Amino acid sequence: MAVSDVTLVDHVRSADGVGMCPHRIVMEHVTSRWGTLVLIALLERSYRFSELRRAIGKVSEKMLTQTLQTLERDGLVHRDAKLVIPPRVDYSLTDPGREAAEQVRGLAQWVDRRMATVETAREAYDAAKA
């Protein structure tokens, strides 16, 4: 396959059909249940952990910690630990994180705009299957 023939799908498809390619892994991190909400929330401003947890709602401390660590490892979130008493840690987006968050927010806005259409389609599908 020539370089020009490589599609986005080719980039996120596993090379061996078993393992996860790096593209797909990052896609999963960005579009995960909590990853999406963290990125959208951090578009507003930087947050301390407890503030971010309240802003997102219904996320366990463990899941938020894992999500933040994953997004930090991917270079999308910046963790700023200040050496003060009591300790203070702020989370913010990096430049690539801001780009990803804007894309995710766009998708969330599209879902919001089209939710009535989706619900109508679901009802029609379910009625046809009944």
Side-chain angles (χ1 to χ4, degrees), residues 17-129:
V18 178
M20 295 286 283
C21 79
H23 296 80
R24 183 179 287 183
I25 292 170
V26 173
M27 289 275 293
E28 286 191 6
H29 295 167
V30 169
T31 61
S32 71
R33 177 180 185 181
W34 302 116
T36 299
L37 296 176
V38 165
L39 291 170
I40 291 171
L42 290 175
L43 265 173
E44 298 172 12
R45 62 179 179 89
S46 65
Y47 280 93
R48 294 178 72 175
F49 184 88
S50 57
E51 291 177 315
L52 185 57
R53 187 170 177 213
R54 280 191 301 273
I56 292 172
K58 297 188 180 184
V59 60
S60 71
E61 187 173 318
K62 178 182 176 183
M63 283 308 304
L64 182 55
T65 298
Q66 288 176 350
T67 300
L68 286 166
Q69 288 173 344
T70 298
L71 294 173
E72 182 183 6
R73 183 171 183 256
D74 288 343
L76 304 178
V77 168
H78 174 70
R79 180 180 185 272
D80 183 21
K82 294 179 175 45
L83 300 175
V84 296
I85 298 176
R88 179 183 173 110
V89 179
D90 291 308
Y91 294 92
S92 60
L93 293 174
T94 61
D95 288 341
R98 182 161 297 285
E99 289 176 27
E102 288 169 352
Q103 297 297 317
V104 169
R105 180 178 59 188
L107 179 58
Q109 290 168 334
W110 175 86
V111 169
D112 188 51
R113 285 190 313 270
R114 299 306 253 161
M115 199 60 220
T117 304
V118 170
E119 288 172 345
T120 300
R122 286 177 177 174
E123 290 168 7
Y125 179 90
D126 292 344
K129 293 290 182 181

